[in-house]
Structures are given as C-alpha cells and as structure tokens.
Amino acid sequence: MTYAGYIGRECVGEISVANRGLNYGDGLFETMRVHRGALPLWPRHLARLRDGVKRLGIALPDPVFIEARIEETIAGTEAGVLKLLLTRGDGGRGYAPPVDAQPVWTLALHPLPSMPAALRLHLCETRLAIQPALAGIKHCNRLEQVLARAEVERAGCEEGMMRDTEGRPACATSANLLVYRDGRWLTPPVERCGVAGVLRGWLLEQGLAEVADLTANDVECADALALCNAVRGILPVSMLGARAWAAHPAITDLQARLAMAYPMFSNPAVAA
C-alpha cells in the first residue's frame, strides 16, 4: 500500500489522535478505481465529495492540489484502488465541531483484488438506520456496514443485502442493488439511507436503470439480481438465501454498455 497524509497543503507523516475522523467518524471518503494511471470516474467522485463537505460543513482543500497529489500517487499504476479520506481535522473532546479546524486528508493506493464473476448474497440482519441528513453521501460512520460484513463472512458469502429499519431492501454492504423485473432495471432510492453510488448515478443518467421503492417480494421474484459500485462495475448475484438465479442476458448487456463507456470494466470479475 502507498500512503500519504496532508493537513491542507502540508504533507504530514502521522495523523493526530485528536483527529475527529478517528474520534467521531467526522469525515468522508471516496474509493476509486485506478485504470492505466488515471481515475476515469473522478469527476463523479469529486461531485459526491463536494456534496458531502457541504452537508457536513467541512472545508474542502483545493481540488487542483488534490488532483495533483492523486496523479503523483497513481502514476504508472495499471490497475488499483485509491482511497481518499477527508476529515474535519483535529479538535478537542466533545462533539461540537471546532470552527477553525484544518481539514486532514489522506490518499492510500491498494492493489485491485480478484473476485468471483457471480456473488452469493447473504440477507443481513443488521439494518440501515433511516437518516436523511446523512443519506447519499459517503461519510465515515460505517459501523452498520462493519456489522453486516461480519455477518457475510460468517455465512461464507461474497456480499450481503441490507434492509432499512422498516424492512425495505436498501443496498449491499458496499454496493448498490439492481433488480431486473419486467424488462427494467430498478434500484432503491437513497434519500433516506444508503450511498448514492457514482456508478449507480451513471446508470440512472443513461436511462439504463430507474429508482423504485422495492419490497422483499420484488427482490425474491426478480428475473435477475446484480450489484454495482465504482470499483467492481456490475456483478451478477447467483444466490440470495434459498433463491438462485441463472446467468441472464440482461446483465451481460448492462456490463457491455458499461464497458463501452469505461473499458476498465470489461473484466467484471474484480471487487473492492
């Protein structure tokens, strides 16, 4: 792993124990696919990051400076995963955010791991809290996903489907949910909980998917099920509990359309 940390424009070797991201999860992050020394989805990640800092009231360091450090970090990398973590900065004890905190941010470059071409999905008991103030952005409070992911590991599956506290299908632990029914790809809304995935956003803009309130029965009776995120691309689900799905041409078609726009997804068997 290649790592670098910054306070504003200053490169620092260590993150302080007073960092609010460490103490309270007071921050945001983006996990991005590196392809041939570039981040093809960076504009979409930056747009979501801007939304996040606006909502949380965190200062955003100069994007031009961030982009320059990203270019240095990923130069010569054929394939990988870059994580950008941005916190409010250091502060004293207590929840109240300091007004003069300088944002602290880090870049970490990881290898691109392999993953099965189809996923077995575990139905997680851990639920996502409904919180519109945080819904959509990729904030650092991820204990729900941590608990859900532990369930997935115990079940021996590759991913898990999460529901909100009212029982509606919401997402996977680290991906958006895609349900194919009656010739349409449907994905749950993210205004109450969940993350507005950048790849999900692309699919919606292209008219390849549409937002719909989904029920457990919609998932159970789906003609096909898939997950998507900005590192994995689109991956089919082969099993959820006792329900199994065979390979479906609608998934192959969706993968092909994505690969035409972003060639890095021409091989879908990779994951975050």
Side-chain angles (χ1 to χ4, degrees):
M1 180 184 74
T2 302
Y3 168 86
Y6 301 87
I7 299 177
R9 288 174 170 263
E10 178 188 357
C11 185
V12 294
E14 297 180 354
I15 301 301
S16 167
V17 295
N19 186 274
R20 289 180 59 86
L22 176 64
N23 284 279
Y24 305 117
D26 190 2
L28 303 149
F29 69 100
E30 295 291 332
T31 308
M32 302 168 282
R33 177 76 173 263
V34 180
H35 180 65
R36 297 180 178 175
L39 298 179
L41 287 166
W42 168 245
R44 293 179 177 274
H45 286 286
L46 180 58
R48 183 172 62 189
L49 187 63
R50 288 185 187 277
D51 180 34
V53 296
K54 181 179 180 181
R55 282 208 251 165
L56 296 185
I58 294 176
L60 178 65
D62 179 9
V64 175
F65 183 80
I66 293 177
E67 289 168 5
R69 303 293 77 76
I70 287 175
E71 289 178 6
E72 294 173 355
T73 303
I74 66 176
T77 302
E78 178 67 19
V81 179
L82 183 71
K83 183 170 183 177
L84 167 62
L85 175 65
L86 171 67
T87 75
R88 190 181 303 275
D90 295 351
R93 192 187 68 81
Y95 293 136
V99 296
D100 57 350
Q102 286 205 59
V104 174
W105 56 285
T106 64
L107 294 173
L109 179 62
H110 303 266
L112 186 67
S114 60
M115 181 120 182
L119 306 175
R120 293 168 299 169
L121 213 58
H122 170 71
L123 182 61
C124 297
E125 291 300 323
T126 304
R127 304 295 180 93
L128 283 178
I130 295 171
Q131 176 49 274
L134 297 176
I137 61 176
K138 204 158 186 181
H139 57 80
C140 291
N141 300 118
R142 295 289 143 191
L143 283 177
E144 293 161 331
Q145 286 80 3
V146 169
L147 292 176
R149 189 67 205 183
E151 287 187 49
V152 172
E153 296 296 312
R154 290 193 295 268
C157 293
E158 288 80 39
E159 250 289 7
M161 190 183 84
M162 300 187 70
R163 296 160 289 178
D164 65 21
T165 47
E166 295 179 350
R168 288 183 290 256
C171 58
T173 66
S174 58
N176 288 115
L177 180 66
L178 298 172
V179 174
Y180 190 69
R181 293 201 65 182
D182 302 322
R184 300 181 300 161
W185 282 107
L186 308 174
T187 188
V190 293
E191 284 73 29
R192 289 155 45 99
C193 65
V195 173
V198 299
L199 190 53
R200 171 186 179 273
W202 181 84
L203 292 171
L204 293 173
E205 287 178 12
Q206 298 298 311
L208 299 173
E210 55 190 274
V211 176
D213 286 308
L214 299 173
T215 65
N217 185 66
D218 290 327
V219 175
E220 176 74 19
C221 298
D223 299 315
L225 208 60
L227 304 181
C228 71
N229 77 9
V231 171
R232 307 177 188 186
I234 297 166
L235 291 177
V237 172
S238 62
M239 185 175 296
L240 174 61
R243 176 71 159 92
W245 286 270
H248 197 287
I251 296 179
T252 305
D253 177 67
L254 202 62
Q255 289 173 330
R257 289 171 180 261
L258 177 62
M260 287 180 64
Y262 297 102
M264 62 186 176
F265 294 122
S266 57
N267 177 12
V270 294

